[in-house]
């Protein structure tokens, strides 16, 4: 089953691209209205597509009515919806916690003389999840959308919901950015988060087929996997940032996948992504200048053949690059504040490139961000016509995935070779067995002799990044062309 994840579409002052929500049960007029949304949902469902919404539970916009009330006075009934504390001393925030975006995580509210906590921007005050009314209001918002028929949620920074009640300072560690110089033991991944996620799961379970994927943003995959609970009682899926941040190396990817496989509970299910709206696109991060998209294809085969649910980020299927957005056109608060180091996230948020016409066919009016200059060549319309385009390749891969049960649900088993630059694995189903061989090097890959034989077989090539090999058999001894990725299926006894 395919699904679309929409990043936030609720009313928002857009301090952080909609991740600052000022009303959880409406649509921002810049995108349309509720009728438009219902039509979209209906049309997607007609086409067998599910729709999941981005739920921002950790914080609201500072323009949300709850926060406006909360900050109006110390004894306002909504005061406790947010996290208010006195400073440690005049001019000193309550503790050393840092914002993911920049500086102290505490903002002084002049009016009431207290600080409020916000893990992101000052415009994104954190909800106090220990307040039962705030908790109910947030969960009711989730119900609102489920009742409308949405198929679930992507939960924004779900591992940031609670903070240590005693506000203990985090231990220090070595890092480059100030945020990385703290071990985030007290300001994220708190045990109480799991109660919330369990409650949310029981709500989702009332809606057959609904699912939630958590943005479990941490550098420790074990912490992320913990949000899957026992595989049936918390998140359905958790984003694995360790995999997404992995450098181009067969060994590293194999280790990352192996670790994730071990961490996923028996009843749980993995998920993988390589690009999203918060990081430079992987075609640039993992690729090499002049490699003509070779690595992008190897990465696509990996993403779409591992055991788990793959998430594709718009444009990766045509190889849209990270764009150099001129400084004066930046919209991302991170980019505006820190450019050029880092450049911010706008590089991955430029308009989808549909065709070579005005604004790449994305819009009839000037879009928020400029269209990347590659659009004349890198666009959907052109790639639909091209013989061997990346888009065509993704489509073949996706078709294959749908056709082969082993690729959907088969077990994952790694094969040797990663120390030499080949990441290879089996997907073993009840009826079929698939082998995936990925040559991470730009040299031909040969292993002669015993180690080179893939057990079982004969192996028929279903797909290769080198056209023309499909239908053929893998010769004894693995031989891959430079940067080649192949998918093979074992031919059953009877057919031999
Ligand atoms: C994670 C989102 O993906 C990111 O875009 C946003 O800035 C933060 N959460 C804050 O909501």
């Amino acid at each position: 089953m395919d699904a679309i994840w929409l990043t936030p579409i609720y009313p928002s002052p857009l301090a952080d691209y909609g991740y600052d929500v000022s009303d959880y049960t409406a649509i921002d007029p810049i995108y349309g209205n509720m009728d438009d949304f219902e039509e979209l949902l209906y049309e997607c469902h007609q086409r067998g597509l599910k729709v999941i919404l981005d739920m921002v539970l950790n914080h609201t916009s500072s323009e949300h009515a709850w926060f406006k009330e909360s900050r109006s006075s110390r004894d306002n009934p909504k005061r406790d919806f947010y996290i208010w504390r006195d400073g440690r001393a005049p001019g000193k925030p309550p503790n050393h916690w840092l914002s993911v975006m920049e500086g102290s995580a505490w903002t002084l509210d002049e009016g009431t003389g207290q600080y409020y906590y916000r893990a992101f921007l000052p415009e994104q005050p954190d909800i106090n999840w220990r307040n039962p009314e705030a908790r109910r209001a947030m969960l009711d918002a989730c119900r609102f959308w489920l009742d409308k028929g949405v198929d679930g949620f992507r939960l924004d920074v779900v591992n940031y919901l609670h903070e240590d009640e005693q506000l203990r300072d985090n231990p220090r560690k070595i890092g480059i950015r100030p945020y990385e110089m703290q071990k985030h033991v007290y300001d994220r991944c708190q045990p109480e988060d799991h109660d919330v996620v369990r409650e949310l799961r029981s709500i989702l379970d009332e809606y057959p087929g609904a699912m939630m994927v958590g943005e479990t943003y941490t550098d420790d995959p074990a912490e992320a996997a913990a949000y899957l609970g026992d595989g049936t009682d918390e998140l359905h899926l958790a984003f694995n940032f360790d995999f997404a941040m992995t450098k181009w190396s067969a060994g590293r990817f194999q280790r990352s996948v192996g670790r994730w496989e071990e961490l996923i509970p028996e009843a749980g299910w993995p998920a993988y992504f390589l690009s999203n709206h918060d990081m430079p696109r992987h075609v640039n991060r993992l690729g090499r200048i002049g490699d003509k998209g070779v690595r992008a294809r190897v990465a696509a085969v990996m993403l779409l053949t591992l055991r788990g649910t793959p998430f594709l980020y718009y444009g990766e299927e045509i190889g849209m690059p990270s764009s150099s957005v001129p400084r004066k056109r930046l919209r991302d608060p991170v980019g505006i504040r820190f450019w050029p180091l880092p450049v911010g996230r706008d590089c991955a948020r430029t308009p989808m490139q549909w065709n070579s016409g005005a604004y790449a066919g994305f819009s009839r009016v000037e879009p928020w961000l400029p269209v990347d200059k590659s659009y004349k060549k890198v666009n959907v319309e052109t790639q639909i016509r091209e013989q061997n385009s990346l888009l065509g390749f993704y489509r073949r891969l996706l078709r294959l995935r749908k056709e082969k049960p082993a690729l959907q649900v088969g077990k994952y088993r790694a094969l040797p070779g990663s120390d030499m630059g080949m990441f290879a694995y089996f997907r073993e189903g009840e009826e079929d067995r698939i082998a995936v061989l990925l040559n991470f090097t730009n040299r031909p890959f040969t292993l002669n002799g015993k180690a080179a034989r893939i057990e079982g077989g004969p192996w028929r090539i279903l797909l290769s990044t080198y056209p023309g090999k499909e239908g053929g058999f893998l010769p004894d001894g693995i031989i891959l062309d430079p940067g080649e990725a192949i998918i093979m299926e074992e031919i059953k006894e009877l057919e031999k």
Side-chain angles (χ1 to χ4, degrees):
M1 184 58 92
D2 295 317
I4 303 176
W5 147 29
L6 299 176
T7 51
I9 51 172
Y10 322 102
S12 163
L14 297 180
D16 183 20
Y17 272 89
Y19 284 97
D20 46 325
V21 179
S22 53
D23 180 354
Y24 283 85
T25 54
I27 302 290
D28 195 297
I30 53 172
Y31 307 120
N33 58 30
M34 196 56 90
D35 288 344
D36 297 324
F37 176 73
E38 281 167 7
E39 190 184 333
L40 172 73
L41 192 59
Y42 174 81
E43 293 294 341
C44 285
H45 286 168
Q46 287 296 311
R47 290 163 176 76
L49 283 171
K50 300 208 172 216
V51 176
I52 66 170
L53 295 187
D54 215 313
M55 254 297 155
V56 190
L57 300 175
N58 178 66
H59 45 266
T60 70
S61 158
S62 52
E63 293 298 307
H64 194 291
W66 301 336
F67 189 71
K68 286 190 186 161
E69 277 193 50
S70 184
R71 84 185 317 174
S72 67
S73 76
R74 287 195 185 202
D75 53 13
N76 183 280
K78 292 269 184 314
R79 185 68 169 177
D80 192 45
F81 263 45
Y82 296 85
I83 301 165
W84 292 97
R85 291 288 189 284
D86 293 327
R88 254 178 307 155
K92 293 242 161 95
N95 69 10
H96 291 304
W97 292 347
L98 293 176
S99 147
V100 180
M101 303 288 203
E102 192 216 345
S104 168
W106 297 94
T107 298
L108 179 65
D109 174 58
E110 301 286 348
T112 56
Q114 281 193 310
Y115 287 84
Y116 63 88
Y117 177 71
R118 41 88 184 179
F120 294 88
L121 297 173
E123 294 88 345
Q124 295 167 303
D126 269 50
I127 282 283
N128 175 14
W129 274 87
R130 292 193 175 88
N131 178 295
E133 272 180 65
R135 176 173 171 142
R136 193 163 349 102
M138 278 297 195
L139 297 180
D140 281 352
C142 297
R143 271 192 189 279
F144 172 88
W145 292 105
L146 290 166
D147 286 339
K148 238 180 219 311
V150 307
D151 302 289
F153 304 110
R154 176 263 188 188
L155 301 176
D156 192 56
V157 286
V158 66
N159 57 324
Y160 278 67
L161 299 185
H162 289 86
E163 298 74 32
D164 177 49
E165 220 168 356
Q166 298 169 48
L167 305 189
R168 278 172 284 189
D169 279 333
N170 286 320
R172 306 245 177 229
K173 75 173 184 64
I174 295 172
I176 300 171
R177 284 199 320 134
Y179 189 77
E180 291 153 10
M181 288 154 76
Q182 295 192 0
K183 269 196 196 156
H184 293 281
V185 289
Y186 293 123
D187 57 352
R188 69 182 184 199
C189 300
Q190 299 301 294
E192 293 94 327
D193 289 350
H194 296 276
D195 280 355
V196 174
V197 179
R198 271 192 294 269
E199 185 172 354
L200 203 48
R201 175 63 180 253
S202 65
I203 295 175
L204 261 78
D205 284 346
E206 293 171 31
Y207 298 82
M211 82 101 198
M212 52 185 178
V213 53
E215 188 202 18
T216 39
Y217 179 65
T218 138
D219 37 22
D220 179 357
E223 285 181 338
Y227 284 79
L228 296 169
D230 70 6
T232 64
D233 61 347
E234 293 196 37
L235 296 177
H236 298 81
L237 302 172
F239 282 134
N240 178 354
F241 280 83
D242 178 71
F243 176 85
M245 309 278 196
T246 298
K247 300 242 168 7
W248 192 251
S249 141
R252 287 187 203 205
F253 270 110
Q254 179 171 320
R255 279 191 294 280
S256 179
V257 171
R259 175 111 203 267
W260 196 232
E261 280 280 340
E262 273 168 26
L263 289 168
I264 301 294
E266 184 82 28
W269 187 245
Y272 294 101
F273 71 101
L274 286 169
S275 282
N276 72 14
H277 59 294
D278 291 328
M279 52 171 77
R281 288 173 177 274
H282 75 263
V283 66
N284 299 90
R285 263 189 307 113
L286 298 176
R288 281 182 328 143
I289 297 172
D291 86 348
K292 301 210 174 86
V294 165
R295 290 187 179 178
R297 288 179 191 233
V298 176
V301 175
M302 174 172 71
L303 185 63
L304 292 168
T305 59
L306 283 171
R307 186 180 82 105
T309 300
F311 282 76
L312 306 182
Y313 183 53
Y314 82 87
E316 80 173 62
E317 71 281 25
I318 54 170
M320 263 174 69
S322 286
S323 193
S324 331
V325 179
R327 188 175 187 183
K328 56 179 189 322
R329 294 291 308 268
L330 293 178
R331 292 273 182 160
D332 172 28
V334 176
I336 291 170
R337 176 73 188 82
F338 293 108
W339 190 93
L341 280 175
V343 291
R345 303 168 296 179
D346 285 326
C347 63
R349 298 177 176 185
T350 54
M352 177 66 190
Q353 296 167 198
W354 293 106
N355 58 37
S356 56
Y359 305 127
F362 173 80
S363 167
R364 280 190 289 271
V365 295
E366 184 166 25
W368 286 352
L369 290 174
V371 172
D372 184 72
K373 59 182 184 328
S374 65
Y375 79 103
K376 292 262 179 209
K377 280 199 184 128
V378 180
N379 67 64
V380 173
E381 213 172 86
T382 309
Q383 292 200 13
I384 282 178
R385 284 196 304 262
E386 253 170 41
Q387 256 274 306
N388 191 28
S389 69
L390 187 59
L391 179 61
F393 185 69
Y394 265 84
R395 286 181 158 177
R396 279 167 59 209
L397 262 171
L398 288 163
R399 246 193 322 269
L400 198 58
R401 200 186 146 84
K402 290 215 160 106
E403 272 164 33
K404 303 287 171 192
L407 283 180
Q408 290 164 33
V409 293
K411 293 203 177 72
Y412 163 87
R413 180 150 63 93
L415 294 167
S418 71
D419 49 341
M420 300 184 63
M422 178 182 73
F423 179 21
Y425 45 90
F426 279 149
R427 296 293 312 283
E428 299 175 309
E430 306 218 317
E431 303 276 306
D432 56 342
R433 181 150 78 150
I434 301 270
V436 179
L437 310 181
L438 310 170
N439 181 2
F440 272 62
T441 75
N442 53 5
R443 300 177 304 276
F445 186 93
T446 350
L447 266 177
N448 291 315
K450 273 211 161 147
R453 260 206 91 239
I454 299 212
E455 61 179 76
W459 292 97
R460 183 167 55 204
I461 299 174
L462 295 172
L463 181 142
S464 163
T465 48
Y466 280 74
K469 290 196 183 183
E470 285 93 4
F473 285 83
L474 188 76
D476 257 3
I478 303 166
I479 303 166
L480 297 176
D481 277 312
E484 182 178 13
I486 60 177
I487 305 176
M488 308 183 297
E489 105 183 301
E490 189 170 32
I491 302 302
K492 295 196 198 87
E493 269 329 297
L494 278 178
E495 294 176 36
K496 280 186 198 171

